[in-house]
Amino acid sequence: MEFLQSADFWIGLMKIVWINIILSGDNAVVIALAARSLPPHQQKKAVFWGSGAAVVLRILLTVVAAKLLELSFLQIVGGCLLLWIGFQLLSDDEADDGESKTYSTLMAAVQTILIADLVMSLDNVIAVAAAAQGNVILLVLGLAISIPLVIFGSTLMIKLMERFPFIVVLGAALIGWVGGETIASDALLHDYAVAHPALHYVAAALGATLVVGIGKFWPSKARRESAA
């Protein structure tokens, strides 16, 4: 327990917690979007299990993230997966506006949270790993402390989405934005991205536009055609 008396340990711990506070905003949005369509008594379970499992997954991912990010096509696939998740969450919201509202299952919500967090955390965990400087205990403690922060943020977002429905669209747009950024950050596009710095922002904006455009208007079109 000598490490508990080290100033470097506590400084490193505070760094990891602070990094997670900054970087967990988009993860809280994903968790809230996935859990909001559940019955009220299952929302807390989805937030708790989704947040906890996502942090454990992030700990494991930290060990191999640097190597994974060197693989071509990995972030392209991950970014496309995020776009699909954003589209699904938004189209589900459109479907819920109908007369027959159906709720997602708890396991489906947790699965969505895990997949989205896995993709969105690829870049984030590198910053956490750098702060931990190889100290596994520090890494685990820092990420474990971040669990209640993510849970609180997700719970707050669910309440805000219920009161202000337009936040759902903004949340889906954020997922699309991150998806576009992820695609543009792939190792395959590294040289092109360096030569064209605007690619990062163009891809992010296009991702957000695609998710909102397809997720918001495609279900409406399908309902009109069905009614006709």
Side-chain angles (χ1 to χ4, degrees), residues 45-131:
K45 291 182 180 179
V47 170
F48 176 78
W49 288 110
S51 302
V55 171
V56 171
L57 185 64
R58 198 177 300 184
I59 293 173
L60 300 176
L61 182 63
T62 302
V63 180
V64 295
K67 292 296 181 183
L68 286 176
L69 290 175
E70 295 176 1
L71 299 177
S72 298
F73 294 107
L74 178 66
Q75 289 186 271
I76 292 177
V77 173
C80 291
L81 189 58
L82 272 183
L83 296 179
W84 174 252
I85 288 174
F87 162 69
Q88 286 290 95
L89 291 174
L90 194 56
S91 60
D92 286 346
D93 178 66
E94 287 293 295
D96 288 346
D97 291 337
E99 295 181 0
S100 58
K101 184 174 181 178
T102 58
Y103 291 104
S104 303
T105 65
L106 177 62
M107 288 304 298
V110 173
Q111 182 181 13
T112 298
I113 292 168
L114 280 176
I115 294 174
D117 190 82
L118 173 64
V119 178
M120 299 172 81
S121 297
L122 280 174
D123 289 331
N124 297 359
V125 293
I126 292 181
V128 174

Side-chain angles (χ1 to χ4, degrees), residues 132-218:
Q133 295 182 341
N135 190 325
V136 178
I137 296 176
L138 186 60
L139 174 65
V140 173
L141 278 177
L143 290 174
I145 291 173
S146 71
I147 293 178
L149 299 175
V150 176
I151 290 175
F152 173 77
S154 305
T155 304
L156 177 62
M157 286 303 303
I158 290 175
K159 293 179 179 179
L160 288 175
M161 287 176 181
E162 291 175 351
R163 187 168 183 179
F164 306 105
F166 71 89
I167 295 180
V168 174
V169 179
L170 295 179
L174 175 62
I175 296 175
W177 181 278
V178 176
E181 284 184 325
T182 303
I183 293 172
S185 300
D186 191 85
L188 183 68
L189 302 175
H190 178 266
D191 293 339
Y192 186 84
V194 170
H196 302 82
L199 175 66
H200 182 82
Y201 299 102
V202 172
L206 184 59
T209 302
L210 282 174
V211 167
V212 174
I214 298 177
K216 193 71 177 175
F217 298 110
W218 184 273

